[in-house]
Amino acid sequence: MLAPPAKAAIFLTVTIRDGKEQEARDALADVAGVTRAIGFRIPEAALTCVVGIGAHAWDRMYAAARPDGLHPFRPLAGDKHVAVSTPGDLLFHVRADRPDLCFELGRQLMVLFAGLVDTVDEVHGFRYWDQRDLLGFVDGTESPTDAAESGPAALVGFEGSGDLTYAGASYVIVQKYLHDLDTWDRLSVEEQELVIGRKKLSDIELPDSVKPDDSHVELNTITDPDGTERDIVRDNMPFGAVGTGEFGTYFIGYAADPGVTEEMLRNMFLGRDPGKHDRILDFSTAVTGCLFFVPPADFLEDPEPFLAQPGSTAADGSLGIGRLAHSAGRSDHA
């Protein structure tokens, strides 16, 4: 379901302790209720939580085969930059228009999963200026404006097409990028625009005659052989710690087919042409990388009907537990 971009988010990645798989599976059934209980107090803040399950966690919690697109995140080693693969069994993407609600839900999730999981990454994101990231460029320009565009990009089996076993589900890839703002700020505005592929002030894409073929926008434009552009749905957010000088962007991309996002990452790190990596990587380093499957909300509460009766569900244009609100499109600044 489409919703305006949130003002705050928490991205929480955890691993499940050995021997606690069944208890973690049972706890997942209560996530929706905890989210409703907290969000009910301030409904206008639109508190939501999307839950993702990693490949190793799936193998340990469910007897059924993994969903078709679920596998461990595939690392990429280019000539200069690396997309790392890091641990992650469960992802909780908490978002709202108030950071206190995100904090409270995050705290209650840790109470719910106490003794069952270990936190491996926690990022508190915020909206910055007029939808810009900490590099100063607008993030999410190519966002679809309605479900007719975002649904096919993000949701498995949208409108009854494709595999309906987990219709309404999605795949999500996350990466935590740290920015070298000191080096970035030494570039002129014109040099920064060539790295991104857009004008900094107006956000207008550079003409093809000017835009470099290793710019971020160019390498994150994915098209089918017939020229149809392939999209993903993103909800990236800036984060930072002023005292330690850690600044970054949390990339989170939802897709009906994770191969689309993976192709973008191959272009970025390996280059569409050998040796021509995405120039943004000279200033932004990926320090995490995970792939998760986001099942329909009903699955979390009772997975057995899904596991026992393939093809029995119907897509409704929603992920159920959590609205993806959204920046959809090519990747960070596409």
Side-chain angles (χ1 to χ4, degrees):
M1 176 170 23
L2 286 172
K7 295 179 181 178
I10 294 178
F11 307 96
L12 192 61
T13 304
V14 304
T15 54
I16 300 171
R17 295 180 182 177
D18 290 341
K20 299 297 183 179
E21 292 83 4
Q22 184 59 52
E23 292 174 75
R25 173 174 162 169
D26 293 342
L28 286 173
D30 295 328
V31 172
V34 173
T35 303
R36 286 193 297 268
I38 296 171
F40 183 78
R41 299 177 230 173
I42 310 174
E44 64 273 17
L47 176 68
T48 62
C49 179
V50 173
V51 177
I53 302 171
H56 294 313
W58 182 281
D59 292 345
R60 293 159 61 198
M61 289 195 295
Y62 306 110
R66 296 177 197 163
D68 290 344
L70 181 59
H71 53 260
F73 182 89
R74 293 164 177 156
L76 299 167
D79 292 341
K80 190 173 180 182
H81 303 288
V82 177
V84 296
S85 177
T86 52
D89 287 333
L90 299 175
L91 169 72
F92 300 101
H93 177 193
V94 178
R95 62 192 311 280
D97 284 342
R98 290 178 45 161
D100 56 339
L101 266 73
C102 292
F103 179 84
E104 178 62 12
L105 179 51
R107 188 176 75 87
Q108 292 299 335
L109 288 173
M110 289 297 93
V111 171
L112 178 62
F113 286 85
L116 308 180
V117 302
D118 295 301
T119 301
V120 292
D121 190 44
E122 177 180 348
V123 173
H124 293 237
F126 54 85
R127 283 297 167 196
Y128 185 65
W129 299 115
D130 50 345
Q131 306 299 326
R132 295 178 185 269
D133 62 16
L134 296 181
L135 299 178
F137 284 76
V138 176
D139 196 352
T141 302
E142 297 295 331
S143 303
T145 57
D146 56 40
E149 295 178 346
S150 65
L155 302 179
V156 174
F158 185 76
E159 294 183 339
S161 62
D163 182 5
L164 300 184
T165 305
Y166 300 107
S170 188
Y171 295 91
V172 59
I173 286 178
V174 297
Q175 290 178 297
K176 178 181 178 180
Y177 284 88
L178 298 182
H179 302 323
D180 180 356
L181 292 186
D182 290 338
T183 302
W184 176 256
D185 288 341
R186 286 197 289 269
L187 297 182
S188 67
V189 171
E190 291 75 15
E191 289 172 320
Q192 292 178 356
E193 291 172 344
L194 292 175
V195 171
I196 301 300
R198 288 188 177 277
K199 301 292 289 184
K200 190 170 187 178
L201 180 61
S202 68
D203 190 39
I204 295 174
E205 189 169 327
L206 298 178
D208 290 341
S209 59
V210 176
K211 182 174 54 187
D213 57 8
D214 59 356
S215 69
H216 187 66
V217 168
E218 182 65 24
L219 289 178
N220 281 274
T221 301
I222 307 298
T223 57
D224 287 335
D226 64 1
T228 301
E229 189 168 324
R230 301 290 301 278
D231 288 327
I232 62 174
V233 173
R234 296 176 303 114
D235 209 359
N236 297 358
M237 295 198 92
F239 66 90
V242 295
T244 59
E246 180 181 273
F247 307 106
T249 295
Y250 196 89
F251 166 76
I252 179 164
Y254 291 89
D257 175 8
V260 178
T261 315
E262 290 172 327
E263 184 175 350
M264 293 177 181
L265 295 180
R266 285 194 297 271
N267 287 349
M268 288 179 64
F269 286 86
L270 307 182
R272 185 173 279 143
D273 298 321
K276 282 200 170 184
H277 64 266
D278 190 331
R279 283 289 317 286
I280 202 172
L281 297 178
D282 294 338
F283 310 93
S284 299
T285 301
V287 296
T288 69
C290 295
L291 167 64
F292 300 95
F293 175 69
V294 180
D298 290 347
F299 178 94
L300 297 179
E301 297 182 12
D302 184 10
E304 295 309 324
F306 291 82
L307 302 177
Q309 301 178 37
S312 63
T313 62
D316 62 359
S318 162
L319 289 180
I321 218 174
R323 293 171 295 173
L324 292 181
H326 319 300
S327 301
R330 294 178 276 199
S331 187
D332 294 340
H333 298 277

